[in-house]
Amino acid sequence: LLTFLPTHEDSCLILTDTHYGGIPARPHADGIDGSAWKDGVQINSIEDIEHRAPIRIDSRLSIADSGGQGTFRGGNATATVYQFTQQGNVSISDDRQNGHPWGLFGGTPGARSNKYLTKKGGEREELASKSEHVAVFPGDRLTYNSPGTGGWGDPLQRSIESVREDVARGLVSTQSAKEDYGV
């Protein structure tokens, strides 16, 4: 969860953006990539964020290989880069930065989350999973990588066609296809 509160006296805008990892793999299906869960729970759209808050979204992408490998692949994480256009404070409440989301029955763990702030001048600071009232200024960028989720089952049992499709969609790298899936 990311919360941004501008410090400008005339502004009362508050932005809260929820970051889920994916959904873990199941015994019969891959996990769900990114930040969408059932029943309409999802992260804010880029357009909504930019309309409601003094923030520009530089990018929001799926992170290849962040979901655990398995017969059924864990859901990939999402990387969002926020650029602040007004001074304010950011607070973060996140999990899975210190421990990997586990895999089951031979599936590998998903990637851990991480967050870092890049100041306008280029200085980079890693942020803790629980960070409160971090001062940000125009031109600063926050990179927020959500966690991936664990895979289910032996990766060598994943169908070749599924691995090829994952590579074509940018969800799995060619290196992981070769090394982890044997394709």
Side-chain angles (χ1 to χ4, degrees):
L1 179 69
L2 171 114
T3 304
F4 174 73
L5 178 61
T7 55
H8 191 270
E9 292 178 10
D10 297 338
S11 182
C12 63
L13 293 173
I14 297 176
L15 171 72
T16 300
D17 200 17
T18 304
H19 282 263
Y20 299 104
I23 291 185
R26 297 149 292 181
H28 53 80
D30 290 340
I32 298 174
D33 299 308
S35 301
W37 285 22
K38 66 176 201 146
D39 300 329
V41 177
Q42 59 189 18
I43 58 177
N44 295 321
S45 72
I46 291 170
E47 294 80 4
D48 182 52
I49 291 169
E50 292 180 342
H51 176 74
R52 294 185 319 130
I55 294 174
R56 188 178 82 208
I57 303 297
D58 287 348
S59 63
R60 179 170 279 165
L61 306 167
S62 176
I63 303 172
D65 301 330
S66 58
Q69 295 86 11
T71 305
F72 297 104
R73 187 180 50 76
N76 275 345
T78 301
T80 303
V81 179
Y82 301 88
Q83 180 172 273
F84 301 98
T85 60
Q86 186 176 328
Q87 183 176 341
N89 291 296
V90 170
S91 295
I92 295 171
S93 179
D94 181 42
D95 290 323
R96 291 291 180 206
Q97 185 162 321
N98 298 322
H100 289 272
W102 60 87
L104 293 173
F105 304 107
T108 65
R112 295 181 298 165
S113 67
N114 64 64
K115 286 130 314 273
Y116 55 90
L117 183 64
T118 305
K119 296 291 191 176
K120 184 177 181 179
E123 179 185 334
R124 184 173 154 166
E125 173 188 356
E126 184 96 16
L127 299 177
S129 63
K130 310 286 192 256
S131 299
E132 290 189 359
H133 310 295
V134 176
V136 294
F137 300 90
D140 290 353
R141 285 184 168 84
L142 173 68
T143 300
Y144 193 124
N145 297 324
S146 67
T149 58
W152 191 96
D154 182 351
L156 295 174
Q157 297 300 313
R158 185 165 180 80
S159 77
I160 292 172
E161 186 55 40
S162 293
V163 175
R164 286 183 179 151
E165 185 177 318
D166 290 341
V167 170
R169 293 179 58 209
L171 301 173
V172 170
S173 67
T174 55
Q175 179 179 350
S176 177
K178 290 176 187 173
E179 294 175 6
D180 301 316
Y181 292 103
V183 176

